[in-house]
Amino acid sequence: MNCGIMSLLCDTAFEDPWSSFFMDVLSPLSFVKVSYVRMQGLLLLVFAKYQHLPFIQILSTKSTPTGLFGYWGNKGGVNICLKLYSYYVSIINCHLPPHMANNDQRLEHFDRILEMQSFEGLDIPNILDHDLILWFGDMNFRIEDFGLHFVQESIKHQCYRDLWQKDQLSTAKRCDSLLREFQEGPLLFPPTYKFDKNSNNYDTSEKKRKPAWTDRILWRLKRQPSTGSNTLRLPDPHFSLSLKSYVSHMMYTISDHKPVTGTFDLELKPLVSVPLITLAPEGLWTVEDMLISYSFTQDFISSFWDWIGLYKVGFRHINDYVSYVWVRDNEVSFSNGLNQVYINIGDIPETEDQFLLCYYSNNLRSVVGISSPFKLQRHTFLEQDPLGEAQPQI
């Protein structure tokens, strides 16, 4: 991200351009922006399909600056910790120190970012006890020993095997027991740094930086203790991650890096399968209002600041509602765990769009219930019966 002061101020006051771009692309595919965290030039965004929202709880967003003795955020990491179907998942984006000679400093910052992911005062386990850690970013690891000409020729002929042996991250993983627990896909793509901007040519400036795989995607699954011993066994069979693709994208030339993407399949056996809130629109509507019924599980603790939002299918983020209602203020009835509220729809034009209802919990800072899609059909006017009494049309 552009980390200039004016860019930071604009992105604080308005939606940052990357968030807007991804929401434009992903919202028609039913993805919703769930959370984000930014630290100067680092931005981390999390999107999810809307049907998963009741089972995703954002537990923490955190920034860990490591530049200038830990006070400046030009280097460091940002983390989003969430519960996914009651599994703990941490996602980290980082920018580590550059230059060939600073490998020890990179490893130190890697450890520091990990150590700083504490969740004091929150009922969240240590990050190393999370079921999954996804860690990616500009890690700035370089290729040692080989000269520029040898590296360039190896890349030209796609002979990467020798380069892997001298990749600083690969070397560190062979020596560091904790780093060894982080997995990575095979580096079958060319080094992603450093390129002349607006080209596919490696650095032709006076510095002639040696190409390197600086941009990496790692992951770590929690290892389970074996019963009756202190040894560790393989990760939980009910929670597994498999890498489907790990590639760079040479067609993008706006940076001196080439972007890298990883695609994974995450298979899990949900630890929770029933949402905390079940809600649906009822048949009794007027021109101005719609009746909503909802019920909740015994574990759910409501708040005066809980609210229900009405959304168009394809909404971009949780505040992208077309109408909302405070649950406690607009409650009209409750009995045996079934509650009813009215939400105003009078200002919404007649449309063929489909809508959703979402219940937002202030205590959990997340959506805990979502309805099935439906259409607004406000033809339920009150008509007079022969005796002169108003009768609802349903």
Side-chain angles (χ1 to χ4, degrees):
M1 293 282 289
N2 184 339
C3 57
I5 186 63
M6 290 307 297
S7 173
L8 284 169
L9 290 173
C10 289
D11 291 347
T12 300
F14 307 100
E15 198 78 60
D16 71 83
W18 280 110
S19 291
S20 296
F21 173 79
F22 280 116
M23 285 190 292
D24 288 343
V25 172
L26 294 175
S27 59
L29 303 175
S30 300
F31 284 92
V32 179
K33 188 174 84 168
V34 176
S35 185
Y36 79 100
V37 58
R38 179 174 180 183
M39 181 179 69
Q40 290 183 216
L42 278 178
L43 175 67
L44 177 58
L45 299 165
V46 174
F47 286 79
K49 286 201 169 182
Y50 69 79
Q51 60 262 37
H52 297 298
L53 293 183
F55 305 100
I56 299 174
Q57 182 185 347
I58 302 301
L59 301 176
S60 171
T61 59
K62 191 166 186 177
S63 302
T64 305
T66 59
L68 286 179
F69 307 104
Y71 292 102
W72 190 241
N74 64 324
K75 299 292 184 292
V78 290
N79 175 30
I80 294 177
C81 173
L82 55 91
K83 279 180 84 171
L84 176 67
Y85 289 92
S86 285
Y87 292 94
Y88 287 93
V89 177
S90 271
I91 306 171
I92 300 174
N93 182 12
C94 74
H95 189 193
L96 302 182
H99 307 310
M100 178 72 72
N102 290 334
N103 190 41
D104 289 343
Q105 191 178 15
R106 277 187 284 278
L107 296 172
E108 179 190 336
H109 284 209
F110 192 97
D111 289 341
R112 191 187 310 171
I113 292 169
L114 200 58
E115 290 169 2
M116 294 298 291
Q117 301 307 315
S118 59
F119 308 97
E120 297 176 4
L122 301 172
D123 187 21
I124 305 174
N126 182 279
I127 189 170
L128 294 178
D129 291 322
H130 288 189
D131 298 282
L132 172 64
I133 302 173
L134 281 169
W135 194 325
F136 47 81
D138 180 3
M139 299 188 182
N140 260 319
F141 290 104
R142 307 304 169 98
I143 297 173
E144 290 187 331
D145 296 345
F146 297 130
L148 174 62
H149 178 72
F150 180 86
V151 172
Q152 288 180 332
E153 285 298 304
S154 297
I155 295 170
K156 181 179 177 181
H157 295 96
Q158 298 184 7
C159 297
Y160 302 134
R161 186 173 299 275
D162 289 337
L163 304 183
W164 298 338
Q165 299 302 315
K166 297 298 181 180
D167 169 67
Q168 290 177 332
L169 177 56
S170 300
T171 301
K173 281 168 63 65
R174 291 194 290 268
C175 304
D176 188 297
S177 58
L178 178 57
L179 195 56
R180 193 182 304 135
E181 294 183 6
F182 285 87
Q183 302 179 61
E184 183 181 17
L187 297 170
L188 301 178
F189 49 87
T192 55
Y193 176 85
K194 172 179 170 98
F195 288 86
D196 295 334
K197 287 188 178 181
N198 302 311
S199 82
N200 286 326
N201 301 318
Y202 285 105
D203 186 16
T204 60
S205 69
E206 292 182 1
K207 294 183 178 179
K208 287 188 170 56
R209 295 277 171 79
K210 189 163 58 174
W213 286 287
T214 57
D215 310 281
R216 314 290 279 266
I217 300 174
L218 311 178
W219 73 94
R220 177 188 181 273
L221 290 168
K222 183 178 71 171
R223 293 184 177 273
Q224 308 294 317
S226 296
T227 304
S229 72
N230 294 324
T231 59
L232 296 175
R233 60 179 174 83
L234 293 176
D236 188 342
H238 298 308
F239 187 93
S240 62
L241 191 76
S242 56
L243 179 67
K244 311 309 290 185
S245 72
Y246 187 36
V247 295
S248 65
H249 301 272
M250 295 292 288
M251 73 285 291
Y252 295 100
T253 61
I254 61 172
S255 170
D256 55 359
H257 293 252
K258 297 298 181 183
V260 174
T261 59
T263 305
F264 299 85
D265 278 348
L266 175 60
E267 296 187 20
L268 58 85
K269 180 180 180 181
L271 300 179
V272 58
S273 57
V274 177
L276 293 173
I277 295 285
T278 301
L279 75 169
E282 292 292 342
L284 183 60
W285 298 3
T286 71
V287 175
E288 294 293 327
D289 297 305
M290 175 174 63
L291 184 65
I292 301 167
S293 293
Y294 70 91
S295 59
F296 49 85
T297 65
Q298 293 181 343
D299 300 331
F300 181 68
I301 301 175
S302 64
S303 161
F304 280 101
W305 300 107
D306 289 358
W307 49 276
I308 295 174
L310 176 68
Y311 300 84
K312 287 185 179 180
V313 170
F315 66 103
R316 296 155 62 91
H317 52 79
I318 192 60
N319 291 324
D320 193 21
Y321 48 76
V322 294
S323 185
Y324 73 94
V325 60
W326 297 106
V327 172
R328 295 285 185 88
D329 289 348
N330 293 73
E331 194 170 64
V332 292
S333 68
F334 60 92
S335 62
N336 298 323
L338 182 66
N339 298 55
Q340 292 185 322
V341 296
Y342 274 108
I343 188 170
N344 183 272
I345 58 173
D347 298 329
I348 303 170
E350 296 266 0
T351 175
E352 291 299 314
D353 293 319
Q354 287 193 311
F355 290 82
L356 293 166
L357 293 165
C358 293
Y359 187 110
Y360 184 85
S361 165
N362 185 68
N363 291 334
L364 298 176
R365 297 185 301 158
S366 59
V367 172
V368 293
I370 190 167
S371 73
S372 299
F374 61 91
K375 289 187 176 181
L376 290 177
Q377 297 175 341
R378 288 170 295 178
H379 52 269
T380 56
F381 299 95
L382 294 177
E383 294 185 353
Q384 296 290 332
D385 72 354
L387 299 178
E389 295 180 354
Q391 298 291 329
Q393 293 284 108
I394 301 178

